[in-house]
Amino acid sequence: MTIPLLHVPPSPTTTILFFYSSSPRSTTRTLNLTRRIRCRVSNSSEVKSEYKPGVLDDFFMRSFRTKLVEEVGSDSDIPGYVGLIELVKLLMLQGRTRSETNDAAVRILKSLFPPLILELYKLLIAPLAQGKIAALMVARVTVLTCQWLMGPCKVNTIDLPNGESWESGVLVEKCQYLEESKCVGVCINTCKLPTQTFFKDYMGVPLLMEPDFKDYSCQFKFGVAPPENDGNVNEPCLETCSIASRRKLNSGECPMA
């Protein structure tokens, strides 16, 4: 007696490899799926998020680097993001005072925008709803346009001194600007303080930035004015700070902050 067999056509195949690290041998299974899946486990228990560059990111980086070269007076031979950070360090090592470095960074930020845009924003948008609309807008624009510089970030809710809560915060998960520069002074004098000054003076939006030098995260608080005595200015130098090692400095307060 002959039994008919039903023939099922195979689906598109993809190989998934399962590895069991505690065994001396690896076990491999082949499954029929529709796409290839690759899994990687890092050495630490924390999975690092990675930002995938968008279409305009190269344009933003080139524009920022061009303005930085104009301010510094020379370019780095190193391409890409690493070369950009080398230029930032050069800005710090040119013998400028902290005030001069802050002013230079503010000029760079200002030069990235058409002057009329900044003036109109400060005049027409910043006063609306006691500054709330402007704060919400710049938080979202920051996430859309600045992840190439800072790394993955997202809009979050912050508490204002008056008790209100606005979705005008930006949380940077792990700032690659600080991670790559490895310098508290670079963070404070070329990013935190000049950025706060730029948004307040040229866009009419108060901003408090709170970098965490332990996990390299940073909390932006648009709509919140920084305190007069900003505690972040007197932070100890990072153990891996390349600028401190160049100058053979001992640990303690970062001399560049």
Side-chain angles (χ1 to χ4, degrees):
M1 178 178 179
T2 303
I3 300 177
L5 299 178
L6 178 61
H7 176 70
V8 180
S11 58
T13 62
T14 294
T15 301
I16 302 182
L17 301 179
F18 295 85
F19 296 102
Y20 185 61
S21 58
S22 63
S23 172
R25 294 182 301 173
S26 297
T27 302
T28 305
R29 299 179 184 177
T30 301
L31 300 181
N32 289 329
L33 297 176
T34 57
R35 63 176 61 181
R36 183 179 175 92
I37 302 175
R38 299 177 62 188
C39 300
R40 182 182 65 181
V41 179
S42 62
N43 293 331
S44 63
S45 58
E46 182 179 344
V47 178
K48 180 181 178 181
S49 1
E50 295 182 358
Y51 171 69
K52 296 181 179 179
V55 177
L56 295 177
D57 286 342
D58 285 340
F59 169 76
F60 292 142
M61 181 181 290
R62 285 196 305 270
S63 300
F64 187 81
R65 182 165 184 154
T66 298
K67 299 300 182 181
L68 188 55
V69 168
E70 291 176 1
E71 187 67 42
V72 172
S74 61
D75 200 354
S76 169
D77 294 331
I78 305 174
Y81 193 85
V82 176
L84 181 73
I85 296 299
E86 285 297 312
L87 287 172
V88 172
K89 291 179 180 179
L90 182 59
L91 187 69
M92 291 285 296
L93 292 170
Q94 281 185 332
R96 301 170 183 264
T97 64
R98 297 172 186 175
S99 177
E100 288 175 335
T101 301
N102 276 271
D103 292 343
V106 171
R107 284 195 298 270
I108 292 171
L109 291 174
K110 185 181 176 183
S111 67
L112 294 171
F113 295 83
L116 188 60
I117 295 295
L118 296 177
E119 293 175 7
L120 290 176
Y121 195 91
K122 184 176 181 179
L123 179 65
L124 302 177
I125 306 298
L128 298 177
Q130 298 181 335
K132 182 176 182 179
I133 293 177
L136 268 62
M137 287 178 64
V138 292
R140 283 148 182 79
V141 171
T142 297
V143 170
L144 289 173
T145 61
C146 296
Q147 293 195 55
W148 68 268
L149 180 64
M150 305 181 299
C153 57
K154 61 184 179 181
V155 173
N156 65 349
T157 302
I158 61 169
D159 296 326
L160 275 64
N162 63 3
E164 293 185 44
S165 296
W166 292 357
E167 288 187 358
S168 61
V170 173
L171 178 62
V172 182
E173 299 172 10
K174 189 172 185 179
C175 181
Q176 67 175 357
Y177 189 80
L178 176 59
E179 187 177 20
E180 184 66 35
S181 67
K182 299 179 176 64
C183 179
V184 172
V186 167
C187 171
I188 295 297
N189 294 313
T190 70
C191 184
K192 172 183 164 60
L193 295 180
T195 302
Q196 291 176 171
T197 299
F198 169 77
F199 276 101
K200 178 64 174 66
D201 292 352
Y202 295 100
M203 299 192 73
V205 181
L207 168 63
L208 172 62
M209 293 170 62
E210 298 177 331
D212 187 323
F213 297 106
K214 295 180 180 178
D215 62 9
Y216 293 178
S217 65
C218 186
Q219 176 67 61
F220 285 59
K221 295 183 176 181
F222 291 102
V224 177
E228 292 184 5
N229 298 322
D230 198 333
N232 285 335
V233 175
N234 297 316
E235 287 286 340
C237 195
L238 299 177
E239 293 181 1
T240 54
C241 177
S242 59
I243 293 180
S245 62
R246 287 184 196 179
R247 297 189 171 188
K248 299 180 180 179
L249 298 169
N250 296 323
S251 60
E253 288 186 2
C254 177
M256 308 300 294

